[in-house]
Amino acid sequence: MSTPWHVLGAGSLGTLWATRLARAGLPVRLIVRDAERLRSYQVAGGLTLVEHGAATTYAVPAQTADDPEPIRRLLVACKAYDAESAVARLAPRLSADAELILLQNGLGSQDAVAAQVPQARCISASSTEGAFRDGDWRVVFAGHGFTWLGDASHPVAPIWLDDLDAAKIPHEWSTDILTRLWRKLALNCAINPLTVLHDCRNGGLEQHQCEVATLCAELAELLERCGQPAAAVNLQQEVERVIHATAANYSSMYQDVANQRRTEISYLLGHACKVATRHQLNLPHLNQLQQRLVGHLRSLGLPSD
Ligand code: NAD
Ligand code: KPL
């Protein structure tokens, strides 16, 4: 019997991974928040994936953090701000050779998780796949994409990448995952906050080219200072390309704010500003953007961290 995949978080990405792994006949266990959520899940009878308009339900077995089953392979699929505490609760269940796959966007949460479980191997992921929930325990596969996985402290690929092949999860092992995470963070910092503050789709930023260019210059400075020069190469051109290619879309931060959900600001713009301060780098426009965004979130009654 192959090693079970424990999936922490039955949200968009967690469901997208759990259902595809289950569809390939691989053993999957879903970890839900508490006994009440477990009851609700049992009534629903499984996780539903909606793909190309067709819905299929997979009866993935579920459990809470209190279940006694040992965990060898844990897919952490909650938001960045929940990851550290969620993993800390599961730490006593991790086997000596446990591996964690961290799907969180941005930076900061990966180190916080690794500090909770020093014995485990932590693998970071950067994904361009897109999914959203259209009901409890139901997820729509909205954007086919790609996932890069890597371990900054150990370049050898894990054996379970075969499971991802079997599950048809497009992926690649990356020996420069930190550079990928920083590049994505920079893109998100240049685009997402401005879409919230200007109340527009990504394409609306074509009207704010100067502001975008100024932010890109500061972000490139930061990337170079913190040892990620490859992530800074042609950043502005890449940001402009993404704005154009995703012109009709609302950014993930815009959607969070529009749905009155907490954003991942601390792991995106907040992380960039914190690292700049640590390097004694003065980035006035990035700092001002953060202040404007924090003020805006507060004015809406949303958490600003
Ligand atoms: P989500 O909010 O849809 O799902 C997170 C789930 O985790 C929720 O169901 C929540 O209840 C659950 N959770 C939180 N704490 C828990 C705990 N202690 N125990 C059990 N469950 C817990 O989030 P998402 O959209 O799937 O995003 C997850 C991460 O992936 C984020 O960092 C996001 O930025 C990143 N990401 C998402 C997408 C996407 O298309 N949704 C794409 C790329 C990256
Ligand atoms: O990843 C994104 C997001 O919305 O979070 C893009 C489309 C790149 C915009 O930053």
Side-chain angles (χ1 to χ4, degrees), residues 152-216:
S153 57
H154 191 63
V156 177
I159 186 111
W160 45 256
L161 292 185
D162 289 351
D163 283 7
L164 304 193
D165 287 328
K168 297 192 170 52
I169 296 175
H171 67 280
E172 192 177 291
W173 182 251
S174 166
T175 50
D176 60 357
I177 191 70
L178 261 184
T179 304
R180 286 195 178 278
L181 288 166
W182 268 111
R183 177 78 164 190
K184 176 98 192 306
L185 179 144
L187 278 167
N188 286 161
C189 286
I191 298 174
N192 299 14
L194 287 180
T195 62
V196 172
L197 293 168
H198 291 299
D199 190 14
C200 66
R201 293 174 199 259
N202 293 352
L205 299 186
E206 282 170 347
Q207 311 305 316
H208 301 277
Q209 271 184 357
C210 264
E211 210 175 357
V212 171
T214 307
L215 290 175
C216 287

Side-chain angles (χ1 to χ4, degrees), residues 23-301:
R23 181 168 64 187
L26 295 160
V28 183
R29 318 270 190 271
L30 187 66
I31 302 176
V32 299
R33 265 182 195 278
D34 51 35
E36 196 185 322
R37 291 298 288 157
L38 187 57
R39 275 192 297 277
S40 152
Y41 177 74
Q42 280 156 353
V43 169
L47 290 175
T48 299
L49 178 65
V50 184
E51 197 174 7
H52 308 303
T56 311
T57 301
Y58 300 86
V60 174
Q63 53 185 240
T64 64
D66 302 327
D67 192 281
E69 187 185 26
I71 299 174
R72 282 184 72 193
R73 188 174 301 148
L74 178 66
L75 183 75
V76 182
C78 56
K79 295 283 196 187
Y81 46 76
D82 282 327
E84 183 181 2
S85 60
V87 169
R89 259 195 91 188
L90 291 174
R93 290 178 57 188
L94 297 180
S95 63
D97 58 351
E99 291 180 292
L100 276 63
I101 300 99
L102 310 176
L103 289 182
Q104 289 61 48
N105 202 8
L107 278 160
S109 70
Q110 297 87 348
D111 285 348
V113 165
Q116 291 295 326
V117 288
Q119 79 283 13
R121 183 180 192 194
C122 289
I123 287 161
S124 300
S126 177
S127 183
T128 60
E129 292 196 309
F132 64 88
R133 283 185 275 181
D134 75 339
D136 224 6
W137 316 112
R138 271 177 71 93
V139 158
V140 180
F141 196 172
H144 289 255
F146 207 80
T147 302
W148 286 269
L149 299 138
D151 175 353
S153 57
H154 191 63
V156 177
I159 186 111
W160 45 256
L161 292 185
D162 289 351
D163 283 7
L164 304 193
D165 287 328
K168 297 192 170 52
I169 296 175
H171 67 280
E172 192 177 291
W173 182 251
S174 166
T175 50
D176 60 357
I177 191 70
L178 261 184
T179 304
R180 286 195 178 278
L181 288 166
W182 268 111
R183 177 78 164 190
K184 176 98 192 306
L185 179 144
L187 278 167
N188 286 161
C189 286
I191 298 174
N192 299 14
L194 287 180
T195 62
V196 172
L197 293 168
H198 291 299
D199 190 14
C200 66
R201 293 174 199 259
N202 293 352
L205 299 186
E206 282 170 347
Q207 311 305 316
H208 301 277
Q209 271 184 357
C210 264
E211 210 175 357
V212 171
T214 307
L215 290 175
C216 287
E218 290 193 358
L219 285 160
E221 216 183 313
L222 171 64
L223 293 169
E224 274 159 20
R225 179 70 73 90
C226 68
Q228 294 295 334
V233 175
N234 293 333
L235 179 64
Q236 187 186 333
Q237 285 96 317
E238 173 79 351
V239 166
E240 285 169 359
R241 188 195 63 76
V242 171
I243 287 174
H244 190 67
T246 63
N249 299 355
Y250 286 108
S251 76
S252 54
M253 189 178 274
Y254 182 100
Q255 291 178 47
D256 283 340
V257 173
N259 290 300
Q260 291 172 293
R261 290 191 301 244
R262 182 175 173 184
T263 69
E264 295 183 302
I265 176 177
S266 294
Y267 303 87
L268 297 166
L269 190 54
H271 186 78
C273 290
K274 199 164 69 186
V275 173
T277 304
R278 201 186 299 151
H279 285 281
Q280 295 175 325
L281 192 59
N282 182 27
L283 301 176
H285 296 89
L286 216 55
N287 282 322
Q288 198 191 57
L289 182 69
Q290 193 199 17
Q291 281 158 23
R292 282 166 65 201
L293 185 61
V294 163
H296 183 71
L297 294 174
R298 285 195 183 134
S299 75
L300 296 173

